[in-house]
Amino acid sequence: MLMSWLPQNVSTFGTDIDSTLRLIIFIVGPWFILAEGLILYFAIRYRKRPGKPAVHVRGETFRQAAWVLIPGVIVMLLDFSIDNASGRAWDEAKIESPAPALNVQVTAERFAWIFTYPGHTGAFDGKGTYWSMGKLYVPVNQVVRLNMRSMDVIHSFAVPNLRMRQDIVPGRTITAWFEATRPGNYGIQCTELCGFDHYKMQGTLVVLSADDFAKWRQKHWPSAPAIAINSDAEGANK
Amino acid sequence: MSQAAVISHAAYAEHAEALGFWRKYVFSTDHKTIGKQYLGISLFMAIAGGFTAYAIRWQLAWPAAGIPGLGAITPHAYNSLVTMHGSIMVFWVAMPMLLGAFGNFCIPLMLGADDMAFPRLNMLSVWIFFTSALVLLASFVAPGGAAASGWTAYTPLSDTWTSAVWGQTMWLFAVALEFASFLIGGINFLTTAFTRRCAGMTLWRMPLLVWDEIAASVLFLLSVGPLVAGAVMLLMDRLLGTGFYDPSKGGDPLLWEHLFWFFGHPEVYVVALPGFGIMLEIMPVFARKPIFGYRTIIYSTIVAVGLSLIVWAHHMFVSGMDPRLATPFSVTTILISVPFAIIVFAMIATLWGGSLIFDTPMLFVIGGLASFIVGGVTGIFLGSAASDIYLHGTYFVVAHFHYTLFPVTFFGGYAGIYYWYPKMFGRMMDERLGKLHFWLTFVFFQATFIPLFLAGIGGTPRRVFMPSAYPSFASLQPLQVMATVATIGLIASQIPLVVNFFSSMFRGALAGRNPWRANTLEWTVDSPPPHGNFPDPPVARRWPYDYSVPGAASDWLPQVAETNPPAGIKVQRAS
C-alpha cells in the first residue's frame, strides 16, 4: 500500500533499495500494529471499574521482565536482518562501482546543473567537450559514471526515479554511478538547501534508447571519444 | 539530613519571607520559580515557533496566495522561516520545557531537597537563556533577515554564502548562549541528584523522571562540547577570515557536519528522555499500578544514551563521507530501536492489569506514546542506509522527526503541565477544557503529518519554497494542502490550553497537597510548596511506585509512608 506511492523505479540498484523498503515495512508493520493494538485494547479493557483494583506487578523479577525483554531480543534479531539486506543494497549502489560506458562531469552551481561530456582525449577540459545545461542525456542499459563537483556550497544530486541521491561537497570530486533501465524523462532535484533559489535548482535526466542516443550524439556531441561509449551494448557494463 | 542542614533550611525559609517582589518572582534563586520561568519562556517561544509553522505551511499549500498576517514572502524569507522554526522548536521550546521547566521544578522536590545544589547558578542559567531568546528573536529584524541556512547551518552556506549576514551571526551567538545556559543547568541537575537527595532516597528509589533528566544532562554534557568548538570555528570563519570549513583555504565542510551531528543526534535524546520521563512518571499514577520494569527501563535508558553517541553519521549517509562508514552507523542506528522498544513495551505492560483513569495528563501520556511509536518505526526506514538514499531530504524525514519530537515535547510537556500545574499554582486545571485540548491536538497532529509521510514516499524534497514548482511532484500538492489545513487546526487547538492555563490560576478548584493520590515526594508538601520546599526534611522509605499494594489500606503508598512493608533504607526488591 505504502509502496504504491513510490515513483516508478528505473535503475538497477533501485530494485534492491525498493526491496529493502518492502522488507522493512514487512518487519516493522506487524510490530507497529501489535503495539498500537495493545495500547488501544488495554485502554479499553483495563479502564477503571468499581470493584476491579489494579494488580500489583512490578516487572522487576526476570520472569516478569521477560515479557518485555524477549520481544526486545526478537526486535534485535529482526534489526540484523534489516541490516543485512540494507547493507547489500547500499554496497551495490554506493561502493561497488561497475566499469562505466559513459563518463559525465556534473557541475553544481547555485542554482543550476551543468553536465559536461568529455572531449577526444576523455578529459573534461580538453577539445571537443560538450556541455548541457540542466539536461543529462544517457543511454538506456549502460553504466554511467558521474564525476561531481560543486562550485560553491553543498548541493545534493537526487533522482527519485533512479533511487539515487548524492551530496556534492565543494573541494571534493565525488563519483557516483547508475544504470537506467527505461527510456524517458525523469526529474533531477537539488535536495540540500543551497540558498534562496534552492527550489529552482532542477534538471532533467533524459534516458534514450541506444538508437536515439546514437542520433543525439551524432548531432550534439560528434567529438565523443571512442573509449567513452560502447554502443554495442551489454559488453562494457557487465 | 544533618542538623546543620535543618538549621540552614530554617534560615532560608525565614529569609524567603523578607524577599521583595523582584527577588521573589524575577531574580529568584528558587528552583520552582526558575522552573516556571523556563516554562513561561518556552510557551512564549512556542507561539513564535507555531507562527513560523503556520507561515511555512501556508506557503507550501498556497504559494501564490500570500500569507495572511505576513504577506507574500521571498524564497530567502521562506528559508529563514524554516531555519528559525527548527531552531526555536528544538532549542527554545523543547529544551526549556522538558529540561528547564520540569527538570528544575521536579528534581529538588522529588529528591526531598530544599533547592538545587547551586541556586545562584540556576538563576544565571535562566537569565542566560532569556538573553539567548532575545538575541534569537531580534535576529528576525536584523538587516538581511534571520538565519536562512537551516537549523543544521551547513557550511559553506552558513559561512560566506548566506545573505543573512547579521542573522546568521546572531543565530550562532544565540545558540552558543543557549548551550551555555543548559550546560550550567545540566551541571546543576547532576550535582543536585548526586548530593542533595534526602535520607533514604537511594539511586534505586529515584523517580524515573529524575533518572531521565540526569541521563539527558549527562548526554548533553558529553555531546555539546564539540559543537561549541565547531560553532566558535564557524564564527571565526565568518568574522575573522579563518577557513576551517572553507576548501579554498584548506578547510572541509564535512567537518561541520560531523561536529554538528555528533551533537545533533544526541540532542534528540536530550529532548526525548525527559519527555519519556514525564510519561513514565505520570502513567503509574493514573494506572494505579507500579511502573513495569523500573530497572529494566533505567538500564535501557543508559544503553540508549551510550548508543546515541555513536549513531550521528546516519544523517550523513549520502553526504560524501566514505561510503564504507555507512553500514557501521546504520547498524548502530537500527540497534537503538532495541532499548526504546523495551521502554515502550514496559509502558504498554504498565497499562496491562491497571485501573486506568483517563484524566487529561493520562490522555496526553497515552496519545504521546501511541504517536511516538510511529516516529520510532519510521526511523528504521531512515536508519537503513540503503532506504535512506531514497528517503533522505524528503518530507518523509520531516514527518518522521515531527512524530518523534512532537510527542515528547508537546504530548509529554502538556501531560506534565496538566499534572504538575496543581503543584505549581495550587489550583486544578479544568478537565473538560483539558480533554477538548487533548482530542483536538491528537487528531490534528495525525492529520498534519500523515500526508507528509506520503508526500515524502512520493519523493517531494523538503525545505523548498514551492513544492508545486516540481513537475514530477505536482500531483502530490493536495497532500501539502491537507497538511496545511490540519496545521491551522492544530494551532487553533491550543486555544483551550491558553484559556485553561490562565483562567485556572484564579478560578480552578483548590488542589490541596495531593490531588492525584501520587507517591512521589513533591505531593507531600503544600501546593505551591513554600520557598525551601519541605518544612521538615523528608525521609524516603520506599520506591515511588507502590500503587495497589495488596493488603494496604489505600491503593497508594507515598515514598514517606512507613507502613507495610516496614521502613528501611535498603533497596526495595520485587517480591
Side-chain angles (χ1 to χ4, degrees), chain B residues 263-559:
Chain B
F263 162 78
H265 195 81
E267 169 69 10
V268 175
Y269 296 88
V270 169
V271 172
L273 292 177
F276 264 89
I278 291 170
M279 297 198 236
L280 289 163
E281 206 52 57
I282 294 175
M283 191 179 252
V285 179
F286 293 87
R288 311 310 294 166
K289 185 171 171 279
I291 193 78
F292 188 93
Y294 170 78
R295 271 180 291 174
T296 307
I297 290 170
I298 291 167
Y299 286 127
S300 298
T301 304
I302 293 169
V303 170
V305 164
L307 278 176
S308 77
L309 288 166
I310 51 167
V311 298
W312 79 91
H314 66 221
H315 297 272
M316 301 169 58
F317 287 146
V318 294
S319 68
M321 68 171 189
D322 191 321
R324 288 168 298 184
L325 276 173
T327 299
F329 277 102
S330 184
V331 171
T332 54
T333 300
I334 295 179
L335 203 58
I336 213 166
S337 67
V338 176
F340 272 97
I342 289 175
I343 294 172
V344 166
F345 295 151
M347 290 174 84
I348 296 174
T350 304
L351 297 176
W352 172 84
S355 175
L356 310 178
I357 302 164
F358 294 104
D359 286 340
T360 309
M362 184 64 155
L363 288 176
F364 273 104
V365 169
I366 294 184
L369 176 65
S371 306
F372 182 86
I373 292 171
V374 179
V377 299
T378 50
I380 306 273
F381 292 84
L382 298 165
S384 150
S387 47
D388 182 66
I389 298 172
Y390 178 71
L391 294 169
H392 192 92
T394 67
Y395 268 94
F396 190 89
V397 177
V398 175
H400 158 72
F401 67 68
H402 280 92
Y403 256 106
T404 57
L405 287 173
F406 193 102
V408 293
T409 307
F410 289 105
F411 285 89
Y414 288 157
I417 288 174
Y418 283 99
Y419 181 68
W420 279 293
Y421 186 96
K423 189 50 65 182
M424 286 181 177
F425 299 102
R427 290 176 185 270
M428 306 297 289
M429 290 180 87
D430 185 75
E431 265 299 310
R432 276 177 307 172
L433 278 174
K435 290 195 166 97
L436 178 71
H437 176 220
F438 167 75
W439 284 109
L440 291 175
T441 302
F442 185 76
V443 169
F444 280 118
F445 168 68
Q446 319 295 336
T448 301
F449 292 103
I450 289 173
L452 296 187
F453 274 123
L454 300 177
I457 297 171
T460 320
R462 61 190 281 223
R463 287 175 170 169
V464 291
F465 177 64
M466 229 190 255
S468 50
Y470 295 86
S472 4
F473 309 121
S475 64
L476 300 173
Q477 187 61 17
L479 295 170
Q480 299 287 349
V481 175
M482 283 163 68
T484 299
V485 171
T487 303
I488 294 169
L490 184 57
I491 292 170
S493 307
Q494 308 314 307
I495 294 170
L497 172 72
V498 177
V499 172
N500 203 350
F501 195 92
F502 290 107
S503 72
S504 297
M505 269 187 210
F506 306 102
R507 290 203 217 128
L510 287 173
R513 288 190 170 191
N514 193 355
W516 310 117
R517 295 174 297 138
N519 286 347
T520 38
L521 294 181
E522 76 270 31
W523 303 105
T524 62
V525 291
D526 288 344
S527 306
H531 201 150
N533 296 342
F534 297 91
D536 301 303
V539 178
R541 295 190 172 85
R542 58 183 66 245
W543 79 327
Y545 304 111
D546 265 339
Y547 292 100
S548 302
V549 177
S554 61
D555 68 351
W556 53 291
L557 283 171
Q559 279 193 280

Side-chain angles (χ1 to χ4, degrees), chain A residues 1-7 13 16-18 20-22 24-26 28-29 31-32 34-36 38-40 42-49 52-61 63-73 75-80 82-83 85-91 93-95 110 151-156 158-172 174 186-202, chain B residues 75-76 79 83 148-150 152 154-157 161-163 247 252-254 257 287-296 317-324 326-327 330-331 334-338 341-342 344-346 348-349 351-358 366 369-371 373-374 377 380-381 383-394 454-455 457-459 461-466 469-473 476 479 517 543 545-550 572-575:
Chain A
M1 187 188 76
L2 288 174
M3 298 295 285
S4 63
W5 287 83
L6 286 171
F13 53 66
D16 287 317
I17 288 175
D18 284 0
T20 308
L21 284 168
R22 205 173 288 114
I24 299 174
I25 291 175
F26 182 72
V28 304
W31 286 92
F32 173 70
L34 180 74
E36 302 285 9
L38 282 177
I39 290 172
L40 190 64
F42 288 169
I44 296 166
R45 170 82 173 71
Y46 296 109
R47 69 188 184 279
K48 185 184 177 176
R49 280 177 295 186
K52 276 272 197 175
V55 297
H56 184 80
V57 175
R58 294 181 171 202
E60 288 283 88
T61 62
R63 248 180 103 85
Q64 291 168 353
W67 282 93
V68 299
L69 292 175
I70 290 173
V73 171
V75 167
M76 187 164 71
L77 296 175
L78 292 171
D79 282 354
F80 291 138
I82 294 172
D83 292 334
S86 168
R88 272 185 288 127
W90 171 269
D91 289 356
K94 293 288 186 186
I95 295 184
R110 304 205 317 171
M151 306 311 286
D152 36 52
V153 300
I154 301 175
H155 300 278
S156 189
V159 188
N161 292 94
L162 291 177
R163 308 292 186 259
M164 181 180 173
R165 183 180 321 268
Q166 181 58 55
D167 286 8
I168 309 171
V169 184
R172 297 178 180 218
I174 291 171
Y186 308 102
I188 298 171
Q189 300 101 37
C190 173
T191 59
E192 189 61 70
L193 182 62
C194 61
F196 52 94
D197 271 354
H198 166 59
Y199 73 108
K200 287 187 182 160
M201 190 162 167
Q202 300 184 37
Chain B
H76 175 71
N79 290 345
T83 304
S149 45
T152 53
Y154 276 13
T155 57
L157 180 63
W161 285 93
T162 183
S163 33
D252 191 340
L254 279 190
E257 289 191 36
R288 311 310 294 166
K289 185 171 171 279
I291 193 78
F292 188 93
Y294 170 78
R295 271 180 291 174
T296 307
F317 287 146
V318 294
S319 68
M321 68 171 189
D322 191 321
R324 288 168 298 184
T327 299
S330 184
V331 171
I334 295 179
L335 203 58
I336 213 166
S337 67
V338 176
I342 289 175
V344 166
F345 295 151
I348 296 174
L351 297 176
W352 172 84
S355 175
L356 310 178
I357 302 164
F358 294 104
I366 294 184
L369 176 65
S371 306
I373 292 171
V374 179
V377 299
I380 306 273
F381 292 84
S384 150
S387 47
D388 182 66
I389 298 172
Y390 178 71
L391 294 169
H392 192 92
T394 67
L454 300 177
I457 297 171
R462 61 190 281 223
R463 287 175 170 169
V464 291
F465 177 64
M466 229 190 255
Y470 295 86
S472 4
F473 309 121
L476 300 173
L479 295 170
R517 295 174 297 138
W543 79 327
Y545 304 111
D546 265 339
Y547 292 100
S548 302
V549 177
Q572 290 284 329
R573 290 190 181 270
S575 46

Side-chain angles (χ1 to χ4, degrees), chain A residues 10 81 145 202 232 237:
Chain A
V10 297
S81 73
R145 178 176 292 168
Q202 300 184 37
D232 45 55
N237 63 329

